[in-house]
Amino acid sequence: DFAAKPSRRDWERFQAYASRIRRFDAKDVVPHPSRYAARSHLLAELPTFIAPERLGNEPLLPNVQAISWAVLVDIANLPRILPFISPSLKSLTFDVYASDSEEERDPVCQLFDGLTASPGLDLESFNFDKSDVGAEIVKRLLSFLERQPNLKVFRLSSDPYLEPRTVQNMLFSNLPTGLRQLSADVEFHDKYEYTALIQTILERLLDLRVLKLVLTSHHDSWNVSDFKSLAPLLQNPSLEELTLYVSGDIHFDTRDIYALGKALPHMAQFDLRLHYSSLPALKIQASSLMDFAKAFPNLRVLTTDISCTDIPLASLERDKSTGPDAPNLSNLRIWNVGASSLSQDDVTRMAQFLAMLGPSPLLEIEYDGKKNDSEDSVRPWRDVEAMVKLIRRPNLGGGTLNADRTPSS
């Protein structure tokens, strides 16, 4: 962490350690204003300072594999990461929170031009988070992505886009076809624009396995609000993870769940969440867990708001559901119930029902307020999680499930 032009001794010491660095995380803000001013000056002058030491323009970190660069204060610092870029790099992340204006967008373009010109750069993952991304930035971004034939993971978070219709058509029509994971914002004015954008993505990315989208409607007359509105997202049967952020609750019944399972048979993670929060948008009845167990045998992560007003009796359901076709959640590792309400009186019944579905003994139940579980409102879900693990524990050694066994109080 140089505060000024490095001395010869400091430079030699830096070089001795630089080859050991595999991950580099940095941001352009420090606690003390004087040190921030010094660091900002150093970043600006770094290419000049080190030019005599880098006659071949060698990267500062020759073996780095992952870089994360957060720009919170000065947008001009964005391209100053370029001397650290190395052919060894596989993952590159930019989080840009510093504001800019139309006249000050040159640093972003300079960044992409510099990345495009970086010799030997062959990324597997690229993430770029910045609001107000416009057409000029997307053109530079796409030129850079064209030179990354092995890119598998791409995230572009821009809330909102500038000129969303132009930008999105340009971006989604030219995404690298080898992507296996995509995270992006999708903005639309009506059902037809939404459908066209989703189809463009899925028809281009045939190898896609993980899709994460923030869906934003700019018109109140139509929004993603029911199972039918998810239809454009069900074109790729190879999808294994689907995460969607929507603006309102979506209710699924048994027919919806089975239709989803038929369209996406390999689904291992299904998240429907509300915009700008971690709370579930998907609303289901407790009995619908059996439908998910039957429709998604590979399910590992599920996010739902669950109604606990009518929890099935485990003993009755177990008698009805036997044999190889019995509902089974043996792969379920994380179940996020958000702020779902559960009374203490229903804890045992919910635990027995959930255990009857045979989840992994390592199941974690995530719920709103879990990190501060001293609150009475979160105690029921904490107790359900503990009971399910206790009931399922004998099966770690191949024993028989006893869904009627509960911890003694």
Side-chain angles (χ1 to χ4, degrees):
D1 182 15
F2 305 130
K5 180 180 179 179
S7 65
R8 163 62 64 175
R9 181 179 178 182
D10 286 340
W11 178 252
E12 291 177 350
R13 185 181 179 191
F14 171 81
Q15 287 183 307
Y17 285 98
S19 62
R20 305 180 189 179
I21 296 174
R22 299 295 183 269
R23 181 175 184 89
F24 180 52
D25 297 326
K27 54 186 177 181
D28 72 333
V29 60
V30 292
H32 304 291
S34 60
R35 287 188 61 80
Y36 170 75
R39 178 182 291 183
S40 183
H41 174 72
L42 175 63
L43 284 169
E45 299 297 331
L46 188 61
T48 302
F49 287 164
I50 63 179
E53 313 292 343
R54 298 168 68 235
L55 298 179
N57 207 34
E58 298 87 356
L60 289 175
L61 304 176
N63 297 314
V64 68
Q65 295 180 356
I67 290 179
S68 178
W69 181 225
V71 179
L72 294 82
V73 179
D74 186 356
I75 192 73
N77 283 329
L78 186 58
R80 293 170 183 167
I81 197 67
L82 291 171
F84 297 90
I85 301 299
S86 168
S88 63
L89 192 62
K90 295 303 177 186
S91 176
L92 184 55
T93 297
F94 293 98
D95 294 305
V96 185
Y97 303 105
S99 60
D100 60 1
S101 65
E102 191 68 36
E103 295 77 21
E104 295 171 336
R105 296 224 165 97
D106 282 350
V108 183
C109 294
Q110 290 171 19
L111 171 70
F112 284 121
D113 290 346
L115 291 174
T116 303
S118 297
L121 186 59
D122 187 13
L123 294 178
E124 296 175 358
S125 174
F126 182 72
N127 305 285
F128 192 75
D129 186 342
K130 184 188 181 302
S131 62
D132 299 325
V133 168
E136 187 58 38
I137 291 177
V138 169
K139 288 179 183 177
R140 307 293 180 100
L141 168 63
L142 290 172
S143 295
F144 163 61
L145 294 181
E146 285 179 2
R147 298 175 63 87
Q148 303 303 312
N150 294 311
L151 193 71
K152 301 301 180 187
V153 178
F154 174 59
R155 173 175 64 86
L156 176 63
S157 179
S158 179
D159 184 15
Y161 293 106
L162 291 178
E163 313 161 88
R165 185 164 294 176
T166 300
V167 167
Q168 291 180 115
N169 287 333
M170 183 192 310
L171 175 66
F172 297 148
S173 299
N174 294 282
L175 289 169
T177 55
L179 288 181
R180 295 178 67 86
Q181 179 172 324
L182 172 68
S183 301
D185 294 277
V186 177
E187 301 177 20
F188 49 89
H189 287 84
D190 54 38
K191 174 183 177 180
Y192 305 101
E193 185 176 19
Y194 158 77
T195 300
L197 290 170
I198 299 300
Q199 287 179 342
T200 298
I201 293 172
L202 293 181
E203 288 174 2
R204 184 167 179 82
L205 305 181
L206 299 180
D207 294 330
L208 199 65
R209 296 295 180 269
V210 178
L211 182 60
K212 301 179 182 181
L213 299 177
V214 179
L215 304 175
T216 303
S217 173
H218 290 300
H219 202 290
D220 293 336
S221 63
W222 190 86
N223 212 329
V224 178
S225 58
D226 54 21
F227 178 76
K228 187 176 180 181
S229 61
L230 298 180
L233 291 152
L234 309 184
Q235 300 176 39
N236 184 347
S238 298
L239 273 182
E240 298 173 2
E241 297 182 18
L242 180 61
T243 299
L244 303 174
Y245 286 85
V246 296
S247 60
D249 295 336
I250 297 179
H251 295 263
F252 275 16
D253 58 23
T254 296
R255 182 174 58 182
D256 298 333
I257 296 169
Y258 282 109
L260 184 68
K262 185 177 181 180
L264 304 176
H266 303 290
M267 185 68 65
Q269 178 169 329
F270 185 60
D271 284 351
L272 280 180
R273 298 174 183 262
L274 296 173
H275 276 174
Y276 310 115
S277 81
S278 61
L279 294 179
L282 176 60
K283 305 286 187 179
I284 64 170
Q285 300 292 322
S287 59
S288 294
L289 285 176
M290 291 189 294
D291 300 325
F292 271 102
K294 293 177 182 178
F296 297 98
N298 300 317
L299 197 63
R300 296 193 309 268
V301 180
L302 179 63
T303 301
T304 66
D305 184 284
I306 188 165
S307 172
C308 301
T309 57
D310 189 18
I311 304 170
L313 282 171
S315 56
L316 294 179
E317 296 301 332
R318 189 169 59 253
D319 292 340
K320 293 189 296 183
S321 304
T322 58
D325 296 329
N328 190 295
L329 287 173
S330 60
N331 291 308
L332 189 64
R333 296 291 299 273
I334 298 175
W335 181 30
N336 189 326
V337 299
S340 301
S341 177
L342 176 68
S343 73
Q344 196 66 39
D345 292 340
D346 290 327
V347 164
T348 299
R349 185 164 177 164
M350 173 58 79
Q352 290 176 336
F353 170 61
L354 185 57
M356 184 271 299
L357 296 175
S360 166
L362 303 176
L363 174 69
E364 299 290 335
I365 300 178
E366 302 293 335
Y367 44 85
D368 194 34
K370 185 173 185 177
K371 292 182 179 179
N372 184 24
D373 65 0
S374 59
E375 300 176 15
D376 290 341
S377 60
V378 303
R379 180 180 174 185
W381 287 113
R382 180 194 63 194
D383 291 348
V384 167
E385 181 181 71
M387 284 187 179
V388 170
K389 289 181 178 180
L390 182 59
I391 295 171
R392 293 289 296 154
R393 190 174 297 147
N395 296 290
L396 285 170
T400 302
L401 171 65
N402 180 2
D404 294 319
R405 178 185 174 190
T406 57
S408 59
S409 55

